[in-house]
Amino acid sequence: MEHKPVQINRNNAVIHIQNLRKSFGALTVLNGVDIDVFQGENMAVLGRSGTGKSVLIKIISGLLKPDSGIVQVLGEEVDKLNAEELRALRLRIGFSFQNSALYDSMTVRENLEFPLVRNKPNLTRQEIDSAVEEVLDNVGLLQTINQMPAELSGGQRKRIGIARTLILKPEIMLYDEPTAGLDPITSVEINSLINEVREQYNTSAIVITHDLTCAKTTGNRIAILLDGRFLAQGTFEEVFAVDDERIKNFYNYNFTGDKVDY
Amino acid sequence: MNTSNEDASAVPSKKYVLSKKADDFFINIYRVYKFIARFFKEAFVPPYEWKEIIRQCYEIGYKSLPLISLTGFITGLVFTKQSRPSLETFGASSWLPSLISIAIIRALAPLVTALITAGKVGSNIGAELGSMKVTEQIDAMEVSATNPFKFLVVSRVIATSVMVPILMLYTGFVGMLGSFLNVYANEQTSFKAFFQSAFSTISFLDISSSVLKSVLYGFTIGITGCYQGYHASNGTQGVGKAANTAVVVSMFLIFIEEMIVVQFVNAIR
């Protein structure tokens, strides 16, 4: 990919979340979340499994409804949009799922064409082919174009999943556990890809992860989600300089393997 | 919006109107109603997924032909063979083609086709959509600004509603061929004479009612499979349950519908 310097516009929050709450029955998952993600910025959201990280981005993309709070994406309040307005907003958001969520019954080419032919019906066959080949080339997997998802490795599936979202040229990327289940070398490649996507496509992103290396590599800022709230936000160094036992434990667990009691 | 969830401990324990099972039953009925209503709402609004509908028709119709052919042929053959002794007792074996055609066209062809399709296609739809649900493929369609309900549900339900009647007519034909084979082997009746005798007692109402109830069976198979798959949860276990429930519920509903349609058709006959 061609690398370009990325400017973060701190006057333009592409995602603005205020006092967001979400419960499932008696279980409160998000309990007053506040966060701003600025244009051109990758925000890494750290937290243990089951702390509501994925719920957060599902609310941002409109897959789940919040119980209360403000969720503004690209200036639109997500939960107040009608179906057509939500569809229009989703064209500007890319969502990379934890398990890639590639369509099993379709080839890689068909997976990538799927959102394109439905949302841009006026494109010619040549333009579709060209767009598919371009994004596949950008994620370094042009050779897999006619393969089925079942024939791909975990890392390849992640890349194709990211390529499928990139084909609509989104302004915001939401990555759900991009390195989960991958070996360390493939994880490094995916981290690099996330940074390349930001530079190439000028996207802003939320990277949901419990992998500190991923957060450190991809996040311009980091936020730690614990007990339904963000415990700390800032650069990697700022967050882990906070004098809080739970944050220090999180760091130690990831980098030194010490056992943690939250 | 609900703002009452400040604290998990503040949420009151759930109270049921009747009992958990009864409440779940009525909630499910309501969800099925909403699912069917959504189907009719989305089926008639463009854009139409023609390519996917045709692909599903091919998958559901063409790929069921070997099984349907075998089942239809054997049904016709065995039914004729088993009916012969009773008719021969009264010296009425010449009525065999008429009896068989009435049985096949009015009841056997629609029911056999529907049950075979429920087993083969209903389970397939339940498992496929269930698998897509638990692996977030349906969510992936939604976030890519595509309507998964229209692409997955509407196309499949239309395909089953169109293909089951066509398969039913084919099953009827193949069943009659099986019957002819038995009649020919015993009485050397010609092909033309057999079918002239068979169709002499069949009315337009017989064929049209069978076609219409096959449309209903096809719709039932499609909507049940899609509903079960679309609401699958709990990983692979949920996929298996969706496939199994799709078949069991479809077959149950088909028999209920058969009883109702037979009463209705007999009333207007």
Side-chain angles (χ1 to χ4, degrees), chain B residues 87-106:
Chain B
L87 288 179
E88 276 178 349
T89 308
F90 301 104
S93 56
S94 61
W95 288 4
L96 208 50
S98 312
L99 172 79
I100 298 300
S101 65
I102 287 173
I104 286 181
I105 300 297
R106 284 189 190 172

Side-chain angles (χ1 to χ4, degrees), chain A residues 21-23 25-28 31 58 61 63 66-69 79-80 87 90-91 93 95 97-99 101-106 114-115 118-119 164 168, chain B residues 1-12 47 49 51-52 55 128 131-132 134-148 151 156:
Chain A
R21 290 165 197 270
K22 177 70 183 173
S23 300
L27 179 70
T28 301
N31 194 13
K58 283 186 176 174
S61 60
L63 283 175
D67 291 339
S68 65
D79 61 314
K80 293 197 167 59
R87 200 186 79 82
R90 280 173 171 161
L91 287 172
I93 305 173
F95 196 123
F97 286 83
Q98 184 171 352
N99 296 312
L102 298 181
Y103 310 131
D104 292 332
S105 58
M106 301 180 195
F114 188 85
R118 273 161 186 80
N119 293 301
R164 188 177 60 187
L168 291 173
Chain B
M1 265 187 211
N2 174 19
T3 54
S4 62
N5 48 12
E6 297 262 331
D7 182 357
S9 60
V11 179
E49 294 283 356
K51 204 174 158 191
E52 183 61 10
R55 193 180 79 83
E128 190 182 10
S131 167
M132 291 186 77
V134 301
T135 57
E136 296 181 307
Q137 291 176 50
I138 293 179
D139 283 347
M141 279 187 190
E142 197 149 352
V143 293
S144 65
T146 301
N147 184 343
F151 182 76
R156 278 164 178 76

